[in-house]
Amino acid sequence: METSMWGRRSAAVVAAAAVVVLAGCRGAAGAASVPEWADATAAPLVTADPGAPLDDLGPPLKVAVGGAAVGGAAVVGLGESVHGAADELTLKHRALRVLVEQLGFRSVAWEDDWTTGRRIDEYVTGGVGDADELVATMSPQWQSREVADVLRWLRDFNAGRTDKVRFVGVEYYLTGQGAYDAIDAYVAAAAPDRLAELREQVRILRPASANIFEHIQAFMALPDKEPYARHARELHDLVSGLLHATGDDGYALAEHTARQIVSFYEHFRLPESESHAFRDARAAENLEWWRARTGHKIAYWAASPHTASASTLRISSPDGEIHFRSVGSHLRERLGARYLSIGFTFDHGSVGGGGQTVALPAATEGWFEHPFGLVGHERFVLDLRAAAPQVVREWLDAPITTRGPNGPGSTTDGGTAAQWFDVIVHTQQVAPAG
C-alpha cells in the first residue's frame, strides 16, 4: 500500500524537484512556494539508522540548538507526530545522540510514569535490569524494539563515565505500588516513629494489585473520590514535613514521589475536559523540578502534542475532542528561547501498536506537513526560523492543522506552526515500530 501511495505522488515529487533549479537560482528566501523553500533550505539526511555516523544530522542540529554557547537551549523537545512509527523513533534516537554526544545534554525526560523512570534510570546508569523487560513496563505506546534500543544505547554510553546521562519519567498517570514501597522504605529508615501513621494512609491509597489499569477503573467508578484525594494530600504533607538535612537526596525523592500520588488522585477525579491540561501542567513542573535538581540540559521525549509550544491545543478524532495547554507551552513561558521544540513528521506509511498495524495515507492537503511530501529529499531537517519569503512566513503564521496522534480521522490544531515548532525532522515514509 505504501508503494502505491508513493507512486501516486511521484509526479508531484518530480515536479517539486524540478523547481529546485529555480529555487537555487533565487536563493531560499526568494523561493516561490513552501516546498521550494523547504527543498532549498533543508539539510538532507542520509539515513534513519540510529547507529549511523551523525555527519548529516549533527551540524544543522548543533546550529539550531545553539551549541555550547551561553543562551543555548536548556531543554529540547523531541516530539513524534504519532506513536508507533519506527522511522520517527529512530530519527529521534539519532537526534538524542547529537544532544548527548555532541552538546552535553545529560538527562532524558520521558513521557512516562515517575516510578517507571526510576527503574529505567537505575538500568541506564549501570544498575540491574533488562531493556526489553523494562520497556514492557512502560506505557503501551513505548513498548517497541526501537525504544529498547534507546535504553540500551544510554546504558552503553554511560558505561565507565562519571557524567552519566540520567533518565526521568515526568508523568504520574500510572503511579502504582512501587511509589508507595519507595516512600515506606524512606520513612522506615528516616523517621520510623512516623511509619505507622504513614502506613495507615498508604493502606487506603495503595493499589491492590500490580495492574494499575484495574485500579484506575475501580477508582473511576467510585461516586465520591474526594476522600482519596484528601488522603493523598495528607500522605504528601506527612512526607514533606519530615525533618531532614539540607540536600538530603532520599528526602527529595520521597517527597517528589508523594507528590505524584497526589497528582494521580487529583487527575482521575477531574472531569475529562480538565484532566489533560492538569496533566501537562504537572509534567512541565516535574521536568523543571528535575532540571533545578540536576542542573542538566534535558532532552524531552514525548508526542508532539506535548512537546509543541501550543497554549490552546485541540486533538480531534471520531471519538470526540480534547483541549489542553501543552508541556512545551509551559516550558516556553518559563525558558523563552532556551526551550527548543523539534517536531518529527512524516508523509505516509504504517504504524504499529498493540499487535496491530495501521496504514496512514499521505498527508492531507491543508495539513502542516503536506508541503514536506512535495520536497525532493527522502528525509531532512529544516529550521523553521530560517530566512523565508512572504509566502512561507504566511504559511508558518497561519492556523495549523496537522496529523493527529489517534490514528486515521484524527487531527491536531490550535495555534500556528511558527509557535509550535522551531525545527522539523521529516521523513517521507514510515514503517511500523517493532
Side-chain angles (χ1 to χ4, degrees), residues 78-116:
L78 304 175
E80 58 203 59
S81 59
V82 297
H83 293 307
D87 302 77
E88 286 195 348
L89 291 169
T90 55
L91 284 167
K92 287 177 70 171
H93 187 165
R94 296 192 78 213
L96 181 61
R97 284 186 55 210
V98 174
L99 297 177
V100 168
E101 295 176 10
Q102 301 182 5
L103 293 171
F105 281 62
R106 285 298 176 267
S107 277
V108 183
W110 204 284
E111 183 199 339
D112 213 325
D113 182 65
W114 160 253
T115 48
T116 302

Side-chain angles (χ1 to χ4, degrees), residues 134-421:
L134 286 167
V135 165
T137 70
M138 295 178 77
S139 299
Q141 67 268 28
W142 304 121
Q143 295 177 11
S144 70
R145 179 181 64 252
E146 289 78 10
V147 171
D149 288 344
V150 174
L151 304 190
R152 277 188 280 265
W153 169 75
L154 285 169
R155 183 181 173 94
D156 290 345
F157 178 85
N158 281 334
R161 302 184 68 96
T162 56
D163 61 335
K164 296 182 187 294
V165 179
R166 303 292 303 278
F167 187 103
V168 59
V170 295
E171 302 283 358
Y172 58 78
Y173 54 75
L174 297 180
T175 301
Q177 294 176 332
Y180 300 89
D181 295 341
I183 293 172
D184 186 276
Y186 173 75
V187 174
D193 58 311
R194 304 295 300 277
L195 192 57
E197 183 183 354
L198 173 89
R199 286 179 173 171
E200 178 58 23
Q201 299 288 0
V202 168
R203 181 187 64 80
I204 298 167
L205 298 168
R206 191 178 191 271
S209 76
N211 189 328
I212 190 62
F213 296 103
E214 289 181 355
H215 180 68
I216 292 170
Q217 186 176 22
F219 179 67
M220 293 291 287
L222 294 174
D224 184 7
K225 302 176 180 63
E226 170 55 27
Y228 290 84
R230 184 179 68 252
H231 282 293
R233 292 191 293 269
E234 291 172 355
L235 182 149
H236 175 262
D237 290 345
L238 187 159
V239 175
S240 65
L242 295 175
L243 293 176
H244 62 281
T246 301
D248 182 342
D249 193 56
Y251 168 82
L253 294 174
E255 187 276 334
H256 191 73
T257 302
R259 199 181 311 157
Q260 306 320 302
I261 294 173
V262 174
S263 294
F264 175 91
Y265 281 102
E266 291 286 2
H267 172 103
F268 286 108
R269 65 187 285 267
L270 288 172
E272 174 78 7
S273 59
E274 299 176 19
S275 63
H276 300 283
F278 178 87
R279 170 190 166 185
D280 272 41
R282 301 292 81 73
E285 290 174 356
N286 289 337
L287 191 154
E288 280 289 273
W289 175 86
W290 183 262
R291 191 173 74 90
R293 178 173 180 268
T294 62
H296 288 174
K297 293 193 289 187
I298 298 175
Y300 172 40
W301 186 301
S304 288
H306 301 299
T307 62
S309 178
S311 59
T312 56
L313 185 137
R314 176 179 66 173
I315 298 175
S316 302
S317 71
D319 295 328
E321 297 182 353
I322 58 175
H323 302 252
F324 58 94
R325 182 182 178 187
S326 70
V327 176
S329 176
H330 290 283
L331 295 175
R332 178 60 54 81
E333 180 178 70
R334 296 171 187 179
L335 297 172
R338 299 198 70 203
Y339 176 65
L340 188 84
S341 171
I342 303 180
F344 289 74
T345 61
F346 68 95
D347 183 72
H348 65 276
S350 297
V351 299
Q356 297 181 329
T357 297
V358 177
L360 295 177
T364 299
E365 187 171 0
W367 286 4
F368 162 71
E369 63 268 46
H370 174 75
F372 300 149
L374 305 177
V375 171
H377 307 304
E378 178 59 28
R379 59 189 72 84
F380 57 86
V381 56
L382 177 65
D383 194 325
L384 300 184
R385 302 163 299 176
Q390 184 63 26
V391 65
V392 175
R393 300 260 52 100
E394 290 175 356
W395 168 73
L396 289 170
D397 291 334
I400 187 173
T401 299
T402 185
R403 189 189 305 277
N406 297 331
S410 173
T411 59
T412 307
D413 60 24
T416 71
Q419 293 168 343
W420 281 21
F421 302 119

